[in-house]
Amino acid sequence: MNFELMLHYFPQLLLGAVLSIQLVVVSGIIGLVIALPTALARVSPNPLVYGLPYAYIFFFRGTPLLVQLFLVYYGLGQFEAVRNSIFWTVLRDPYWCAVLTMGLHTGAYISEILRGAIMAVPAGEIEATRALGMSRLAAYRRIILPRAARIGLPAYGNEVILMLKASALASTVTLLDLTGMARTIIAKTYTPVEIFTAAGIIYLALSFILVHLFRALEKHWNRHLVRA
């Protein structure tokens, strides 16, 4: 194992890690924006309301992220209507194709996490909001959604870590994220063991930070449950 080589290329790999983090953060924000209305529609008893969100979630949870990424990056450009639209300036860029795909993908998973958390809110608390005369909107805003956020936080933390690892697929559409940067360096040095080991260490460090960040958030939000 050539540790000197690993140290030499470590700064370059860190540059790739910055892009990986950026992909996770931006797609995570898109996913959250998609997840809230989708989860609320999914808990509706009306099939006309939950039908479309169900189809969206079923597709993105039932197909691999790599296939979805290729469909967006290579597939949309096959349609002349897309190429002639105002969206083409965004959709021809591999960065935005990766962000859009990852956002839609994680949005499907987060909406299911949120739906499960909403359904796990104790019935007694929902009845209490009715007894206090709260409207449905006020009950969701003041009680149900904050409670669901606390319940779903551990699962959401896992989803963010999974997205960090899945961001490695962005290298397949020419992006120099952490994995993409590692592959580029390996093409020049022919040292896959050293470079992928260094990349793996960076992924582990990022996962470690995320685990402890979400654990601290969970501890902070649920501090009222700790007995004195």
Side-chain angles (χ1 to χ4, degrees):
M1 182 78 77
N2 188 340
F3 292 103
E4 195 177 332
L5 185 85
M6 288 169 67
L7 286 173
H8 178 76
Y9 283 106
F10 214 73
Q12 241 177 292
L13 290 171
L14 285 177
L15 281 178
V18 171
L19 180 58
S20 295
I21 295 168
Q22 199 178 90
L23 286 171
V24 173
V25 171
V26 179
S27 63
I29 292 168
I30 293 172
L32 281 173
V33 170
I34 293 171
L36 182 58
T38 307
L40 292 176
R42 284 280 288 129
V43 296
S44 168
N46 188 340
L48 293 176
V49 176
Y50 72 71
L52 187 61
Y54 176 80
Y56 154 68
I57 291 167
F58 183 74
F59 175 77
F60 279 95
R61 291 180 74 200
T63 54
L65 178 58
L66 184 61
V67 172
Q68 297 159 16
L69 183 58
F70 283 171
L71 279 174
V72 172
Y73 184 64
Y74 296 113
L76 290 180
Q78 304 296 314
F79 299 98
E80 194 176 342
V82 175
R83 292 199 302 273
N84 293 332
S85 71
I86 56 171
F87 303 110
W88 185 237
T89 51
V90 172
L91 292 173
R92 69 183 177 186
D93 186 330
Y95 173 81
W96 288 110
C97 285
V99 164
L100 177 65
T101 310
M102 289 172 63
L104 288 167
H105 183 86
T106 195
Y109 278 89
I110 297 172
S111 60
E112 278 301 272
I113 291 169
L114 191 54
R115 181 183 70 87
I118 289 171
M119 294 181 76
V121 174
E125 293 183 19
I126 298 172
E127 285 174 14
T129 63
R130 290 175 189 151
L132 289 170
M134 281 190 198
S135 66
R136 193 174 177 81
L137 182 64
Y140 264 98
R141 187 167 56 84
R142 294 178 182 173
I143 305 294
I144 299 173
L145 287 180
R147 189 83 162 89
R150 291 189 181 95
I151 294 170
L153 187 61
Y156 177 64
N158 286 336
E159 170 59 20
V160 173
I161 292 168
L162 287 174
M163 284 309 293
L164 172 66
K165 292 187 283 185
S167 68
L169 295 175
S171 64
T172 60
V173 290
T174 72
L175 288 181
L176 289 180
D177 68 320
L178 180 50
T179 303
M181 189 66 81
R183 290 170 60 181
T184 304
I185 296 169
I186 290 165
K188 289 189 293 186
T189 61
Y190 301 104
T191 53
V193 176
E194 285 84 354
I195 300 303
F196 275 137
T197 300
I201 289 169
I202 295 173
Y203 275 119
L204 276 175
L206 292 175
S207 298
F208 180 84
I209 293 167
L210 284 173
V211 165
H212 283 79
L213 178 66
F214 278 101
R215 195 171 291 170
L217 267 178
E218 195 180 341
K219 196 174 173 182
H220 176 71
W221 280 6
N222 294 319
R223 63 188 181 281
H224 60 287
L225 298 176
V226 178
R227 292 183 181 175

